[in-house]
Amino acid sequence: ICGMIATLGYDGFLYSIGYLAGWVVALFVVAEPMKRLGKYTFTDALDAKFNSRGIKLSAAISTLVVSICYLIPQMNGAGSLVEPLLGLPHWVGVIIVGIIVITIVATAGMTSTTYVQFLKGGLLLIFSTILVGFLMFRGASTDQPSLTGDDGESLRYIPVEMTVADMEAGGYELLHTSGDFSKYSLDGDASWWVNDGSSLWKCQWQTADLVNGDPDGLLYPVGRIKALGGMTADEAAKGTGPQNPISFLAQLTHPDTRIEQWHKTKIVDEAGTKTTVFYPKTVTGTDQMKPGVKFKVKTGWEKTNFVSLMLALFFGTAALPHILIRYYTVPSPACARKSTIVAIAAIGFFYILTLFMGLGAGINGTVNPADNNMSAPLLAMSFGGVLFAIISAIAFATVLGTVAGLIVAASGAVAHDLMDRYSGMDLTEHQKVRAGKVAAFVVGIIAMILGIVFRGVNVSFLVGWAFAVAASANLPAILMLLFWPKTTAQGITASIFVGIIAALGIILTGPAMFAGPY
């Protein structure tokens, strides 16, 4: 979410609003009624009144599909964390997390998962608040601190601005032009430049083997303030000094504030070489917090898309298997309600913090243009290695907690719902536990493979898939079961299967998949 806010402004924050609203649905619709059913899994709860094999099968499949859809972004994010933290490749990070979580679930199950989630939730709130406090104390400036690499060199990337005349006078040779982009060479070192109508800006770029022309090159963190509204250039370089959250937002949304964001495009030159170019684009402070950058709502189809996403976030939260499973671990319906209220307060406060962390990353040059998932930890890195290590460790623990909960839900669906209840194997408790451990191992392997495949795709975007499937398949079945006396087993079964097929079908054949992952 911080990465989306850093690169998209207000539209990225809409994910925070959507996720939080989902907990309100969970409070008023799901929490107490689900607990009163007194069952162990989502499938048991849906099947409480029917003893239907159709419900057992459909609910177990839905649990597995939603869990795997949610595991993809979690594993992807884990790999993004390990790259800068330990200097290991993305795929190694995914495998490390997979092994740790499979071990947690297979050895200690729900108890360890509960403690991991409780501890990481508390630490996340505390240190995110500290990070935002540091950000407010620094304020805004056109002269930001630099990140440093292992060799002590600055990782700040300020794009070079030149005119065409400067390029020619400097001995640059024009190799290729594609739209607004031109490829120049100087002494054999070729690079891409974007023409903004008045001057040329040097871009970051990568091909299959090279990053910025170097086999071991870096895509340097980007995003900065070019001008602060109401301040001269000298005053803006000195900065605003310490600010409170209101003055910080007011300064960044000033119409005369200029913020340099980064976008990417793919270019194919005459030789057929595919190059990904990351180029600077300046927006005003007003545009930074104006809705509609990502979610266009001018046409009826665009409005439908946006409403669909918000409905998925609102209704998906209350129907996620690893959240529903929480309601079976508290002693009473009153406790279910109370715990949800506490969750809403804590999560609501945290999502407010994401707005400031995202904007802070977008103006402090801590956005990785190729993978903005690391925006918050890199923002922490700009304050020093200790805070970076703490924030990264907490983010890592967050991945562990969520993945553990998902694998608990998925392994329960396999061992308890499919093998024991649907197939009628009549397993003993010991056999069910063993089957659950094997299922945890298999689901973990699948999640690792998919986490590696979807490298570089924004995690919040991927999480939306799980919410879409849960909202389409699970929530209608829950609502009908709880609030409509005429509900039948066939109706619940059909609801789940139609929801899964419709949601997955639209996701897998949608333009976002062909533009990115495929």
Side-chain angles (χ1 to χ4, degrees), residues 445-505:
I445 295 292
I446 294 171
M448 284 188 259
I449 294 170
L450 293 174
I452 293 169
V453 169
F454 283 88
R455 178 188 181 185
V457 182
N458 183 275
V459 164
S460 282
F461 170 72
L462 292 173
V463 167
W465 294 359
F467 281 70
V469 178
S472 302
N474 293 356
L475 193 74
I478 293 171
L479 292 179
M480 294 299 102
L481 173 74
L482 296 177
F483 302 111
W484 196 39
K486 295 182 180 180
T487 299
T488 64
Q490 293 87 345
I492 290 179
T493 303
S495 167
I496 294 173
F497 277 129
V498 169
I500 291 174
I501 294 168
L504 279 183

